[in-house]
Amino acid sequence: MPELPEAETIARGLNRILPGRAVRRVSVLREDVVDGPRDGFVAAVEGKCFNAAGRRGKNVVLSLGDSSRLVVNLGMTGRLLPELSRSTHPAVLFQMQDGGCLVYDDARRFGRLAILAAPEWRRWSRTLGPEPLARSFTGRRLHGILARSRSPVRNLLLDQKRIAGIGNIYAVEALWAGRVHPRAPANSVGPRSAARLHRALRKVLRNAIQARGTTLRDYRTAEGMEGGFGPALRAYGRAGQPCVRCRTTIRRIVFTGRPAYYCRRCQGSGHDLRSVHPMAVPSTRPREGSAP
DNA sequence: AGTGTATCCTGCAGGC
DNA sequence: TGCCTGCAGGATACAC
């Protein structure tokens, strides 16, 4: 669920309610969501004051008064909610000194919470790729990243170490908007297509942030609201429906275990597909040993 | 280097 | 209604 636009929306919401508030008590209800021993986690947060809320890639980053950071990877179903009453699967409860609280809620518990001291934070942040909305992330830079890999471009976009914050939904949407086939080898995307993909990617991410993200099921903003980007999806989840550009039926394919959606006409000459996956299996002869 | 698979978990939709 | 299967927005580890 939560990709860059969702993490950004949550961070903005928390930034309105969290800074300046001190944590009185931390209850780890589900030990598997915290990184390292429970006691260490609790001790690192109790008594500290929350400062600014931000984001790195698809992680929500909450600064604590002592320059350490609480990094929240929301996994598939993680949420950060300001009221326990909205929580269906509370995993960590932060009770504030002012009587309020912050709940980390996570049905599937694929999310992780980690406390990083300043140097660890810098080290960890360096393991992630560039922020796609940063000024420094240019079309040329994207092209440079793509040129170094033969992986399908969709997979490249999902790799947090190469570009931070993109998940399957926005990868699929950006590829549709940029008219690039999801399975095209990354290094087959030329500079012009890379520039188009770059513009498409940033536009999709910005529009999604403006709509407060995409709720397919579990995602909620810090205010408990659903995201509004769902109706703006043009490819993701639209298999069998007409492409809004050319009316060709949107297709769903699965590779590397994950679905991709695309328009064959806008995005995909079968050309690159065929060169990657030769359809030709010429032999109609029975395999050795299966002959009568 | 890249691909496929399994793993961590739960909830839900769809088929029977 | 209930049981079963497959699927899901993420990340990682492993074998090949």
Side-chain angles (χ1 to χ4, degrees):
Chain A
M1 155 218 329
E3 307 181 26
L4 185 157
E6 291 77 25
E8 177 69 25
T9 303
I10 291 167
R12 288 181 186 182
L14 293 178
N15 218 15
R16 285 196 285 270
I17 61 171
L18 225 43
R21 295 171 70 194
V23 180
R24 180 171 63 83
R25 201 182 152 159
V26 178
S27 309
V28 177
L29 310 170
R30 295 291 200 159
E31 187 155 19
D32 50 1
V33 304
V34 302
D35 193 53
R38 167 201 306 246
D39 295 348
F41 180 87
V42 170
V45 183
E46 274 185 353
K48 304 279 167 58
C49 187
F50 280 118
N51 286 340
R55 176 191 64 73
R56 177 75 173 98
K58 44 179 93 158
N59 303 275
V60 176
V61 180
L62 306 177
S63 297
L64 296 170
D66 61 352
S67 87
S68 66
R69 285 165 176 83
L70 170 56
V71 176
V72 182
N73 184 301
L74 299 154
M76 298 266 235
T77 54
R79 313 160 169 178
L80 284 162
L81 305 169
E83 299 164 41
L84 191 52
S85 61
R86 292 190 195 263
S87 174
T88 55
H89 298 78
V92 181
L93 174 62
F94 302 89
Q95 291 174 277
M96 305 297 174
Q97 269 166 11
D98 59 20
C101 73
L102 177 69
V103 188
Y104 178 69
D105 178 286
D106 192 346
R108 286 174 75 180
R109 304 206 301 282
F110 282 4
R112 288 295 173 271
L113 278 64
I115 300 291
L116 302 182
E120 297 173 309
W121 151 260
R122 285 191 292 273
R123 212 175 309 136
W124 171 80
S125 184
R126 278 198 296 270
T127 67
L128 296 180
E131 286 290 332
L133 292 178
R135 223 175 234 284
S136 55
F137 186 75
T138 60
R140 285 183 65 159
R141 181 130 186 231
L142 175 60
H143 182 242
I145 291 168
L146 299 181
R148 277 182 268 131
S149 171
R150 301 186 327 231
S151 283
V153 59
R154 193 279 312 258
N155 294 9
L156 227 279
L157 293 175
L158 294 184
D159 185 346
Q160 303 300 300
K161 292 186 283 298
R162 296 194 248 211
I163 305 170
I166 303 166
N168 204 34
I169 294 180
Y170 298 111
V172 162
E173 288 300 303
L175 290 163
W176 178 86
R179 302 180 187 240
V180 176
H181 194 291
R183 201 161 195 170
N187 62 5
S188 75
V189 179
R192 278 176 59 98
S193 293
R196 203 168 58 231
L197 179 59
H198 171 260
R199 283 192 299 274
L201 176 63
R202 293 178 34 127
K203 189 170 179 182
V204 165
L205 293 174
R206 286 205 185 96
N207 288 348
I209 290 170
Q210 202 162 17
R212 288 179 269 95
T214 305
T215 296
L216 294 187
R217 178 175 298 167
D218 302 283
Y219 160 71
R220 295 294 181 278
T221 70
E223 295 82 19
M225 296 169 65
E226 296 192 2
F229 198 67
L233 296 176
R234 296 290 178 252
Y236 190 87
R238 295 192 72 248
Q241 298 177 51
C243 171
V244 300
R245 270 191 309 243
C246 74
R247 317 311 292 171
T248 302
T249 304
I250 297 286
R251 293 183 156 215
R252 178 185 191 268
I253 53 174
V254 177
F255 56 97
T256 327
R258 316 197 62 189
Y261 303 82
Y262 71 104
C263 170
R264 210 180 176 192
R265 180 146 168 223
C266 299
Q267 294 168 262
S269 59
H271 171 77
D272 34 19
L273 268 192
R274 222 155 289 142
S275 61
V276 181
H277 277 286
M279 295 302 285
V281 185
S283 174
T284 52
R285 254 176 293 161
R287 296 172 66 108
E288 223 182 324
S290 65

